[in-house]
Amino acid sequence: MNHHPNEDALAGPIIPPMAMSRRNFLGVGTTLLGGLWAERVFPETADQATLPPKAWRDLALRLQGRLLRPGQPGFSSLALPNNLRYASILPEAIAICASTGDIAQCLRWCADHGIPLVARGGGHSYAGYSCTSGLMINLSAINRVSYDKASGRVTVGGGALNGALYSALQAVGRSVTHGRCPTVGAGGFLLGGGIGFDMRANGVGSDKVVSTEIVLADGSLVTASATQNPDLFWACRGGAGGNFGINTAFTLDTFAIDRVAVFSLQWSAVSDDFIATLFQTLEAAPRGLGSRVGLAPGLDAASGARGIDVTLLGQFNGSVDELRDILQPVFLMATPTHQIIDRMHYWTGQSYIVDPEGASHYQERSRFVNGGFPEAAIPVIRAWLRRWNLAEGSGLIKFFQTGGAVNDPSADASAFVHRSSQWLAAIGIQWQGDQSAAEQQWMHRWQDGFYREITPLAGGGAFQNFVDPSLENWETAYYGTNLPRLRKIKARVDPTNLFHFPQSIPPAQA
Ligand SMILES: Cc1cc2nc3c(=O)[nH]c(=O)nc-3n(C[C@H](O)[C@H](O)[C@H](O)COP(=O)(O)OP(=O)(O)OC[C@H]3O[C@@H](n4cnc5c(N)ncnc54)[C@H](O)[C@@H]3O)c2cc1C
C-alpha cells in the first residue's frame, strides 16, 4: 500500500477531525463497558485489633516507612481495592514500606505473630486478592523507574503503577507490552504474564523481563534471572502475584516505537456472517495489529429485535490506508455506526485507548481460545446476549487478540503456559453497589451459564491475571502443565506457605 500524504489526518468520515477528543474516542470503545464506574467512599472502621497495640507499635518502630491503623488519615483510601465487591475486607494495619528492608521486617513480624499478610501493588486484583484482614504490605513507595540507554532496558519498582512506567518510557521513546489501565500495578501485571495491544508483535509483558528482585518468605532479598535462581525467574514470569515472595524490581527489554494507527469502531445489530468475517479478518492481520472485540446486547433500530452490538478497539503499526485495507472485508459486510481511525505518535495513541479508571463492582471469567475463533460460538453468544434483560448493570463478552509472538515461546519456556491461542475471551459483568441482591444473583447466573457453554468451545486455560474466584480447577486452568514445577518452586522458597490467598499455588508435598 502506498503511503498516503494525508494518512496522519483523521481518516474516518463519521466524526470530523475537530470533533475528535479523547473522551469521544473512548466513548466508542467503552460505551458498552462503561457508565458504572461509581466511586465509593467507605467510612473509617473502628479499631479491630486482635493483637495488643504494643505489638503493632513494635512493628511501626522497625519500619522506615509508616504503619497506618484503622481510623488514621489515609487508611480507608489505601485499603480500598479497585473491585469494590471486596471493599469490606479491611486490614488491621497497612505498612507503607519504604525499602526492601521494611518488607523483610513485615514478613518476619507476621510470621512471628501469626498475622496473615498480602502485598498491595495497584490493588486491581479482580478477586480482591490484595485485600486481607491482617497486614497489607503497601508497595507504593517502591516505585522508582529508570531507563538504561546503553542496554535499552528499563527497571521498574515492584510497587510502581503502569502509568509511571509508561511516562518514563514515553520520555525516552520506547515501550513494553502493556495494558490499558495506568493504575494497574506493574508488578501484578508482569507476574501474571501481562497482555496488551503490543503482544502479537512483542509477546506478553513477562516475556521481556530479564531479571527481578524478590524478598522471600525468610526475609532474604534475591535476584532471579536466567543465571541467578533460574527456577524462580521462570516462576516469576507467569506464576502470578502473591505466590513466591514480594517482587521489588523488574528489569525488562524495551522496544522502539513509531507512529501507530489507532482505531475504535462500532457496529449495531450485526449478522452471524459479520461476526465470523470480523474474527477471520483480524486473525489474518499481521502481528503489528492488536485488537479487542466487544460483543454486547443491543437492539436492531429498524425491527426492535434484540441483537448484538460490536466494538472494535486497537492499534496497528502501519498507516491508516494499510489498516483500512486489512479491515476491508469487514467494511464490505457492514458500515460502522461510529468509527475513528487515526494515525498518531505511539504514546499519544495509548492515551486514546486507555481504560477508563475508577473502582466499581465486577467479575470477569476468562478462557483462552485455542486455534481460531470457533464459529460454533456465535449462536451461543447470540443466545446468551439475547437473554440479558437488565436495565442496570452490564454484561458482555470481550475477545483480546492474542496469537503472533505470544505463541512463539513454548508452553514451558516460562510459567506463562498459554501459548497456542488466538484470543482471550472474557465474560464480564458489572453492577451498581446498590443494585438489588436478586439482580446481582441473576447476573452471576447469566455469567456462569454463558461461561459454561463458551469454555469447551474455547478449549484453552484461564488467564491468571484475570483471577476468577468462581473458577473450578483453577490450578490447571491458570498454569496447565507448568503446575507441578510451580508447586516444587513454591515448596522450596515458601515452605510454610506464608504467601497464601484463596487461589495461591500450593507447595508441593515433600
Ligand atoms: C481495570 C483493569 C484493567 C486491567 N487491564 C489489564 C490488561 O490490560 N492486561 C493484563 O494483563 N491485565 C489487566 N488487568 C489485570 C491486572 O493485570 C491484574 O489484576 C494484576 O494482578 C493487578 O495488579 P495490581 O498490582 O494492580 O493488583 P493488586 O491487587 O495490588 O495485586 C494483585 C496480586 O498480585 C500481588 N502483587 C502485587 N504486586 C506484587 C509484587 N510486587 N510482588 C508480589 N506480588 C505482588 C498481590 O498480592 C495480589 O495477589 C486489569 C485489571 C483491571 C482491574
Side-chain angles (χ1 to χ4, degrees):
M1 200 64 214
N2 291 336
H3 179 89
H4 190 284
N6 288 328
E7 72 173 17
D8 285 354
L10 185 74
I14 294 177
I15 297 183
M18 294 306 289
M20 181 172 162
S21 68
R22 178 168 168 263
R23 174 184 287 237
N24 61 28
F25 191 102
L26 278 173
V28 176
T30 57
T31 310
L32 302 169
L33 278 174
L36 299 172
W37 301 90
E39 291 286 355
R40 292 279 188 279
V41 178
F42 285 79
E44 306 284 347
T45 56
D47 196 319
Q48 46 180 325
T50 54
L51 284 177
K54 180 179 176 312
W56 292 103
R57 277 199 300 275
D58 285 349
L59 173 60
L61 287 173
R62 291 190 204 180
L63 302 179
Q64 283 175 273
R66 283 184 304 147
L67 187 79
L68 293 182
R69 303 295 320 279
Q72 287 188 267
F75 178 90
S76 287
S77 56
L78 286 180
L80 207 60
N82 180 265
N83 191 345
L84 296 176
R85 191 178 178 190
Y86 304 100
S88 61
I89 306 172
L90 291 173
E92 289 201 44
I94 302 173
I96 305 173
C97 291
S99 63
T100 55
D102 275 3
I103 295 173
Q105 289 292 352
C106 288
L107 300 185
R108 284 194 200 108
W109 185 91
C110 284
D112 289 348
H113 292 85
I115 292 286
L117 63 95
V118 289
R120 164 64 63 87
H124 280 56
S125 166
Y126 281 172
Y129 289 156
S130 61
C131 297
T132 178
S133 58
L135 179 68
M136 178 184 286
I137 299 179
N138 179 298
L139 302 174
S140 60
I142 300 177
N143 61 2
R144 191 159 174 268
V145 186
S146 61
Y147 175 71
D148 176 42
K149 198 173 171 188
S151 63
R153 288 177 174 171
V154 68
T155 298
V156 57
L161 299 184
N162 273 338
L165 177 60
Y166 307 164
S167 300
L169 291 172
Q170 182 166 10
V172 294
R174 309 284 296 181
S175 189
V176 293
T177 294
H178 61 87
R180 290 172 52 221
C181 179
T183 50
V184 164
F189 175 85
L190 291 169
L191 287 163
I195 64 161
F197 288 137
D198 290 289
M199 67 182 147
R200 294 184 74 234
N202 294 288
V204 293
S206 63
D207 289 341
K208 292 289 187 282
V209 173
V210 294
S211 71
T212 180
E213 309 271 309
I214 178 167
V215 182
L216 298 178
D218 63 4
S220 61
L221 174 67
V222 300
T223 300
S225 69
T227 52
Q228 298 178 73
N229 300 298
D231 256 8
L232 191 55
F233 178 56
W234 178 88
C236 287
R237 290 172 296 144
N243 277 305
F244 299 100
I246 298 186
N247 298 68
T248 53
F250 299 84
T251 299
L252 294 92
D253 281 328
T254 62
F255 54 81
I257 50 174
D258 198 349
R259 294 172 77 81
V260 287
V262 177
F263 52 96
S264 180
L265 301 143
Q266 190 169 337
W267 293 265
S268 282
V270 296
S271 67
D272 289 357
D273 282 351
F274 175 88
I275 295 173
T277 303
L278 176 64
F279 281 97
Q280 280 159 15
T281 303
L282 293 169
E283 284 169 16
R287 289 179 170 207
L289 183 141
S291 77
R292 192 215 67 171
V293 177
L295 304 176
L299 280 185
D300 184 339
S303 67
R306 289 180 178 212
I308 297 180
D309 286 351
V310 175
T311 54
L312 172 65
L313 187 68
Q315 71 182 41
F316 172 61
N317 299 332
S319 71
V320 165
D321 284 348
E322 286 169 312
L323 176 62
R324 285 192 167 279
D325 261 11
I326 291 168
L327 296 179
Q328 186 66 2
V330 182
F331 290 134
L332 287 175
M333 295 282 297
T335 307
T337 51
H338 206 141
Q339 66 169 310
I340 297 171
I341 302 179
D342 199 1
R343 189 167 139 95
M344 56 188 80
H345 182 274
Y346 176 92
W347 280 109
T348 310
Q350 304 314 300
S351 71
Y352 277 89
I353 49 185
V354 75
D355 209 4
E357 291 180 41
S360 64
H361 301 75
Y362 54 86
Q363 182 165 354
E364 298 275 338
R365 308 208 63 190
S366 76
R367 279 286 160 181
F368 283 92
V369 182
N370 286 344
F373 175 82
E375 286 196 25
I378 297 174
V380 173
I381 292 169
R382 191 172 285 286
W384 281 99
L385 294 182
R386 193 175 281 150
R387 275 181 205 138
W388 181 268
N389 66 2
L390 295 182
E392 242 191 331
S394 68
L396 80 166
I397 183 164
K398 293 160 281 185
F399 289 86
F400 301 86
Q401 191 169 7
T402 55
V406 175
N407 295 342
D408 286 347
S410 62
D412 62 357
S414 72
F416 187 82
V417 74
H418 315 287
R419 301 295 188 176
S420 49
S421 71
Q422 294 300 322
W423 299 93
L424 169 65
I427 299 170
I429 53 171
Q430 204 171 35
W431 60 94
Q432 304 278 17
D434 58 2
Q435 209 159 339
S436 73
E439 288 199 351
Q440 289 183 34
Q441 278 164 16
W442 185 91
M443 281 191 201
H444 285 290
R445 279 200 303 275
W446 178 86
Q447 185 184 42
D448 292 344
F450 195 171
Y451 186 73
R452 249 193 315 275
E453 288 189 36
I454 281 293
T455 296
L457 295 170
F463 185 25
Q464 54 271 51
N465 256 2
F466 290 1
V467 277
D468 171 2
S470 310
L471 191 59
E472 289 170 11
N473 303 320
W474 53 266
E475 295 101 323
T476 45
Y478 294 148
Y479 305 114
T481 48
N482 287 337
L483 181 66
R485 184 172 172 191
L486 284 165
R487 292 193 58 183
K488 278 189 198 145
I489 296 167
K490 171 77 173 174
R492 206 168 58 242
V493 298
D494 184 16
T496 63
N497 207 12
L498 183 68
F499 299 104
H500 64 91
F501 55 93
Q503 292 184 345
S504 55
I505 294 169
Q509 303 295 324

